[in-house]
Amino acid sequence: MMMKVVTCVVVALLQSASSFLVGPSTFAIKSKANVGIQTQLCMTGDVNLDRRSILSIFPAAIAFSALSPALAADGKSKIVVFGGSGYVGAHVVQILSQQGYDVVSVSRSSPSAQADKVSKILGSPLATKYESLDASTADLNGVLSGASAVVSCVGIAPGGSNQRAGNGGVNIRIADAAKAAGVERFVYISVSSVLANGPAKFLLGDYLKGKAEAEAAVIKDFGSNALVIKPAIIAGGPPGELRPPGPPGIKPVSVDAVAKAVVAGALGEKSGSIDGNDDISAF
């Protein structure tokens, strides 16, 4: 039996999904393929369709409308940056935001405190999402939901308290939560092998042990979809923060070079490891 139905709702679902980009560098479903459907089904607002035709349209509409809820309005995916208000993290968030990605900066600080800190680091405000969470204890499922990539700039500098857990345990927890949430890629900022295997290991035992434990967890959870970036000394620092000088003979790497490498990992353009300031600068 034939019956009249209003079909433009179905077509609208198809067309709204047609502008989605599935992942930052995969493929887009173009709306041109649906132009004929719109012309045919919405010319008068209602048409004659049998039950079989209606049932064949709805599954497609539902499938298309369910594509990647993490996508921003302009089609770019969601990327979560832990430690996004820190020195390296702020530069990473800036690059990704400028490229149109849906970036969430996560820190224990309040959103307003994060925004102020980022503004001081970059020299101007940065419009992005700031989430206040303690990654060592909080439920991370909500902030990770729908993310295509996670970056962790989290760590405690040498000389701080609880360095092993602050560099190891918290990042292990982030990596495990990201894997459980279905995140595709993970980028972790560790420390160069030159420092880890040099005399510094006798002075920075817990710091380096924590970094090594975090690296192992990231590689275990994400394999070939992980990137571990291992700088020695990064030039500069947040305004007003004094950092100890690096070992003699090691030229600092620019924060921009580190951030560029991080972004490449988050977008799936690089995996494995980039070890040492020379390799990071040359990337």
Side-chain angles (χ1 to χ4, degrees):
M1 181 180 73
M2 306 293 288
M3 60 180 173
K4 277 191 171 186
V5 295
V6 178
T7 60
C8 288
V9 173
V10 177
V11 175
L13 284 172
L14 290 169
Q15 288 188 314
S16 66
S18 69
S19 63
F20 285 173
L21 176 69
V22 184
S25 59
T26 50
F27 64 91
I29 301 171
K30 301 297 184 181
S31 60
K32 291 181 181 178
N34 295 322
V35 170
I37 298 176
Q38 182 193 29
T39 303
Q40 180 182 356
L41 300 185
C42 294
M43 184 71 72
T44 62
D46 55 24
V47 294
N48 289 321
L49 289 176
D50 60 23
R51 187 180 302 275
R52 179 175 297 176
S53 297
I54 297 169
L55 293 177
S56 70
I57 292 173
F58 272 99
I62 293 171
F64 278 114
S65 65
L67 283 173
S68 193
L71 299 178
D74 60 0
K76 296 293 183 75
S77 60
K78 174 182 174 182
I79 299 175
V80 181
V81 181
F82 286 86
S85 60
Y87 185 48
V88 175
H91 287 83
V92 171
V93 171
Q94 181 182 48
I95 295 173
L96 289 170
S97 297
Q98 288 173 343
Q99 294 185 15
Y101 288 90
D102 180 17
V103 187
V104 182
S105 169
V106 180
S107 169
R108 289 178 295 180
S109 302
S110 68
S112 60
Q114 290 186 61
D116 289 344
K117 186 176 180 182
V118 168
S119 180
K120 291 176 181 177
I121 291 171
L122 300 177
S124 61
L126 181 61
T128 192
K129 298 175 183 176
Y130 296 100
E131 187 82 26
S132 179
L133 286 175
D134 184 344
S136 66
T137 58
D139 183 348
L140 303 179
N141 290 332
V143 74
L144 293 173
S145 177
S148 65
V150 166
V151 173
S152 180
C153 305
V154 171
I156 295 178
S161 61
N162 204 16
Q163 291 183 48
R164 186 164 182 174
N167 289 289
V170 64
N171 283 299
I172 293 170
R173 193 170 188 274
I174 293 170
D176 289 348
K179 180 182 180 181
V183 175
E184 183 180 354
R185 292 178 296 280
F186 198 102
V187 183
Y188 174 57
I189 299 178
S190 187
V191 63
S192 75
S193 297
V194 169
L195 291 183
N197 298 325
K201 66 184 178 183
F202 299 108
L203 301 173
L204 307 175
D206 283 350
Y207 172 82
L208 295 173
K209 287 176 183 177
K211 290 286 190 180
E213 289 166 356
E215 285 185 32
V218 169
I219 294 169
K220 174 181 69 69
D221 285 344
F222 288 89
S224 61
N225 287 324
L227 176 63
V228 177
I229 300 174
K230 307 174 74 170
I233 301 299
I234 300 175
E241 181 178 311
L242 296 177
R243 295 192 170 191
I250 296 181
K251 182 181 178 180
V253 63
S254 74
V255 68
D256 291 329
V258 176
K260 177 184 175 183
V262 169
V263 169
L267 302 185
E269 298 167 359
K270 176 66 178 176
S271 60
S273 69
I274 308 177
D275 192 354
N277 287 2
D278 290 342
D279 287 349
I280 294 171
S281 297
F283 177 76

